[in-house]
Amino acid sequence: MRRKKPEDLRSHRWYGVDNLRAFGHRSRTKQMGFASEDYAGKPIIAIVNTWSEMNPCHAHFRLRADEVKRGVWQAGGFPVELPAISLGEPLMKPTTMLYRNLLAMETEELLRANPIDGAVLLGGCDKTVPAMIMGAASMNLPAIFVPAGPMLRGNWRGAVLGSGSDVWKYWAEKRAGNLDDEAWGEIEDGIARSYGTCMTMGTASTMASAVEALGMTLPGASSIPAADSNHSRMATAAGRRIVEMVWEDLKPTDIMTGAAFENAVTVAMALGGSTNSIIHLIAMAGRAGAKLDLDRFDALSRRTPVIANLRPSGKYLMEDFYYAGGLRAAMARIADLLHLGCVTANGQTLGVNIDGAEVYNDDVVLPRERPLSQEGGLAVLRGNLAPDGAVIKHTAADPKLLKHAGPAMVFRDYNDMAARIDDPNLPVTPESVLVLQNAGPLGGPGMPEWGMLPVPQKLLRQGVRDMVRISDARMSGTSYGTCVLHVAPESFIGGPLGLVQTGDIIELDTPARGLTLRVPDAELARRRAAWIPPKVIYPRGFGLLHARHVTQADKGCDFDFLHGGSVVPEPEIH
Ligand code: FES
């Protein structure tokens, strides 16, 4: 391998030459108190930091950025911290998904416009993970991801609480009249007790694990709880490693190959991971020029057993997973399903990284002969209701509903659903299929996590806890239930979901991967002819850019002009 020399560094163009511009760059760096010994001839490492006081999952990132810097200094690099928009899932509306591509663009352009040789990406809360990887892939400078890590377990009256999953569970009990305000208040106090990401196998844990399997983190990084001192040491080690990656010129496209994406998908499936991972991994693969589509997802899912006994599909939380050996041990259990020759950020192959990793608790990481499910957690459905596909997390659904036909109860949008769902006169039975329209990439906009429609209150009081629900929305990775999601094309642009009327019979056949609207073609054609396209929701700014360029769920919801594409020239330095 040819190692770079200082004059090969990208930053050399800014600092190392003898002209007026370089004088300005050096003198202005000195303005910040740095001497030429601090930076001259050294790899300049961007620490792209998504810290924000509107993002509790990243509350520790100021400290972690300092710990990364320590590693960069130790290894002979020059660290610089670059703040980027923080997509905090709990507080941003209508959904962070609307802004995933904005953070991806920001990451790419921060790296391009500045004298950067390599990047450490600090992210973790759901969309920050794919966004930063997408941007880094497009810029294609050496980069390593430092996941925020899961928060500690929640506690309430001796019970363990899991992010998201237990919110939905206890909210249903409250609506059913089984939980008083005092208990509800105690759950609010106990469910989020440290910094870090959701500690169920939600989207954040799924994506962090997938990115580790992809090879973009240090081995074992994704399982470490945020508040564990091992997390700090991992951050510092990532700082040391990125300096070497620059000298080695180990770039994202060297790591993020088609085979590496198959590893990421397989791992997400084996963990019973979030449905959101489908959209994100397809978008990430698109940036890296790797081929990945819904059918490949389904094929990989069918052959991959779910071996992580983690909520919402299973029983345990990320802290338990870490103590049981974490992702390295889980990957070692499915090593025969992985491409072990893929190179990873530490310069070793995946096979070397997981060699000898042991499982310490067989109830958390299950043996192959008794998995949670023989097949991976996600299935791709098709039919006249979803010509371009839909997905279901069947491991988190009531098995009795996975093959079901029933009359549709249609809500034309979220507000309609919220206004009527608990109406005692709502004409629903446990057999009804709840349909939510206009919640997709353009309809939401941003495809909010509305796909786990609440079970109507009158059915909750009858003891019903799951129903078939269908939408073009996403759902939180911590959610559960028989929820068909990501229906494409979406209703807002004229997809068949928008033509469904209350009373139509819908048939879900998960084993056969079918989703069918039992309405004659002639009647559907009549409804289509009468359909009036809605107006774009955000008529200016980033919302309008999103509306004009976002792709549908089966394509990953990236902007069409960011997917794959040509190499952008390096900026001129005048
Ligand atoms: Fe940030 Fe779940 S809200 S990871």
Side-chain angles (χ1 to χ4, degrees):
M1 186 195 314
R2 181 184 172 272
R3 286 177 69 83
K4 275 189 182 162
K5 299 192 182 68
E7 53 273 25
D8 300 328
L9 293 172
R10 183 172 181 267
S11 58
H12 181 81
R13 295 176 62 225
W14 273 262
Y15 283 106
V17 292
D18 185 17
N19 63 21
L20 180 62
R21 279 289 156 228
F23 168 85
H25 302 148
R26 291 191 296 263
S27 66
R28 289 304 183 139
T29 301
K30 287 174 176 169
Q31 182 183 5
M32 293 185 285
F34 293 110
S36 59
E37 292 83 347
D38 290 323
Y39 62 85
K42 296 182 176 183
I44 300 187
I45 305 299
I47 300 164
V48 185
N49 192 351
T50 51
W51 174 87
S52 152
E53 285 181 334
M54 281 286 153
N55 190 345
C57 309
H58 295 185
H60 53 316
F61 270 178
R62 280 175 151 176
L63 182 57
R64 291 294 174 277
D66 283 344
E67 289 159 349
V68 172
K69 283 180 191 171
R70 188 164 74 213
V72 172
W73 284 121
Q74 284 169 3
F78 178 52
V80 292
E81 193 173 339
L82 302 180
I85 184 172
S86 190
L87 309 181
E89 201 64 29
L91 295 160
M92 276 184 105
K93 308 294 173 204
T95 162
T96 50
M97 185 63 185
L98 182 64
Y99 300 105
R100 183 198 66 182
N101 298 344
L102 182 61
L103 175 57
M105 292 171 78
E106 187 182 10
T107 302
E108 178 181 349
E109 302 307 331
L110 275 174
L111 300 182
R112 173 173 296 119
N114 289 296
I116 301 300
D117 297 303
V120 179
L121 311 169
L122 297 188
C125 191
D126 295 20
K127 315 305 177 295
T128 59
V129 183
M132 299 179 96
I133 295 285
M134 288 160 72
S138 291
M139 187 52 203
N140 207 25
L141 294 177
I144 191 167
F145 190 78
V146 171
M151 70 177 101
L152 300 175
R153 292 185 199 97
N155 291 300
W156 174 60
R157 296 185 184 175
V160 169
L161 292 176
S163 310
S165 306
D166 280 322
V167 178
W168 324 127
K169 181 174 124 184
Y170 288 112
W171 177 236
E173 294 307 322
K174 186 170 189 299
R175 290 170 63 233
N178 299 333
L179 202 68
D180 62 23
D181 287 346
E182 189 182 346
W184 184 240
E186 288 172 15
I187 292 172
E188 186 175 302
D189 290 342
I191 200 163
R193 53 183 274 266
S194 80
Y195 46 73
T197 54
C198 294
M199 73 321 230
T200 40
M201 186 43 74
T203 304
S205 297
T206 306
M207 290 310 301
S209 303
V211 165
E212 179 175 335
L214 188 63
M216 290 295 290
T217 71
L218 289 177
S222 65
S223 314
I224 309 171
D228 192 303
S229 63
N230 282 292
H231 197 270
S232 298
R233 289 191 287 277
M234 179 271 292
T236 303
R240 284 193 294 268
R241 176 61 196 152
I242 187 64
V243 177
E244 275 306 296
M245 288 173 76
V246 169
W247 293 126
E248 293 168 7
D249 201 24
L250 181 59
K251 298 191 291 299
T253 50
D254 300 324
I255 296 172
M256 293 166 58
T257 60
F261 273 102
E262 295 210 345
N263 288 341
V265 173
T266 299
V267 162
M269 298 299 104
L271 298 175
S274 161
T275 44
N276 287 322
S277 66
I278 299 182
I279 294 177
H280 297 321
L281 285 168
I282 288 176
M284 289 157 58
R287 295 297 188 99
K291 190 169 156 31
L292 182 65
D293 60 20
L294 281 181
D295 291 335
R296 191 65 193 136
F297 240 100
D298 194 66
L300 292 168
S301 181
R302 279 180 191 263
R303 65 157 209 191
T304 307
V306 179
I307 58 162
N309 190 8
L310 300 174
R311 298 187 201 183
S313 298
K315 180 174 166 193
Y316 294 100
L317 297 174
M318 287 303 289
E319 205 176 334
D320 307 301
F321 185 59
Y322 179 58
Y323 301 143
L327 188 66
R328 286 179 62 246
M331 286 197 282
R333 282 240 153 124
I334 54 164
D336 55 308
L337 301 178
L338 300 172
H339 303 284
L340 299 177
C342 289
V343 71
T344 72
N346 70 344
Q348 303 287 349
T349 62
L350 183 69
V352 168
N353 288 343
I354 65 173
D355 188 37
E358 274 183 61
V359 173
Y360 303 116
N361 185 337
D362 275 343
D363 199 38
V364 178
V365 182
L366 299 165
R368 285 288 282 275
E369 47 298 352
R370 54 178 179 88
L372 213 56
S373 148
Q374 288 294 346
E375 282 191 14
L378 308 181
V380 176
L381 309 169
R382 289 185 197 274
N384 69 343
L385 191 50
D388 293 336
V391 304
I392 185 169
K393 185 172 188 172
H394 53 104
T395 48
D398 183 340
K400 293 193 293 294
L401 291 171
L402 291 174
K403 203 166 158 36
H404 176 88
M409 174 68 233
V410 177
F411 302 100
R412 72 178 173 281
D413 58 28
Y414 183 86
N415 290 336
D416 181 33
M417 185 276 294
R420 293 195 292 136
I421 193 77
D422 286 341
D423 181 343
N425 298 318
L426 193 73
V428 283
T429 69
E431 287 71 43
S432 296
V433 174
L434 304 181
V435 172
L436 175 64
Q437 299 170 330
N438 295 311
L442 284 97
M447 215 180 164
E449 293 183 336
W450 295 336
M452 191 178 86
L453 278 75
V455 173
Q457 194 168 42
K458 74 179 200 183
L459 297 181
L460 280 175
R461 290 194 165 138
Q462 294 168 24
V464 176
R465 290 293 182 272
D466 196 5
M467 299 175 72
V468 176
R469 293 158 260 185
I470 302 178
S471 73
D472 42 20
R474 296 174 301 113
M475 80 173 181
S476 163
T478 60
S479 297
Y480 52 87
T482 314
C483 303
V484 176
L485 310 158
H486 309 183
V487 169
E490 64 172 304
S491 44
F492 194 85
I493 62 167
L497 187 72
L499 307 179
V500 182
Q501 296 181 356
T502 294
D504 290 348
I505 299 298
I506 294 178
E507 190 180 335
L508 167 67
D509 187 347
T510 309
R513 304 296 198 246
L515 185 65
T516 310
L517 178 61
R518 294 273 173 234
V519 171
D521 288 346
E523 170 60 12
L524 283 180
R526 190 190 64 74
R527 292 182 194 175
R528 186 168 287 114
W531 181 78
I532 300 166
K535 285 205 179 81
V536 63
I537 294 170
Y538 289 170
R540 65 176 299 280
F542 181 77
L544 184 59
L545 183 76
H546 179 275
R548 285 184 176 157
H549 293 285
V550 73
T551 59
Q552 289 289 289
D554 59 306
K555 301 285 188 300
C557 300
D558 201 358
F559 289 166
D560 49 12
F561 61 87
L562 294 172
H563 186 90
S566 57
V567 175
V568 176
E570 281 284 333
E572 295 290 341
I573 301 178
H574 299 300

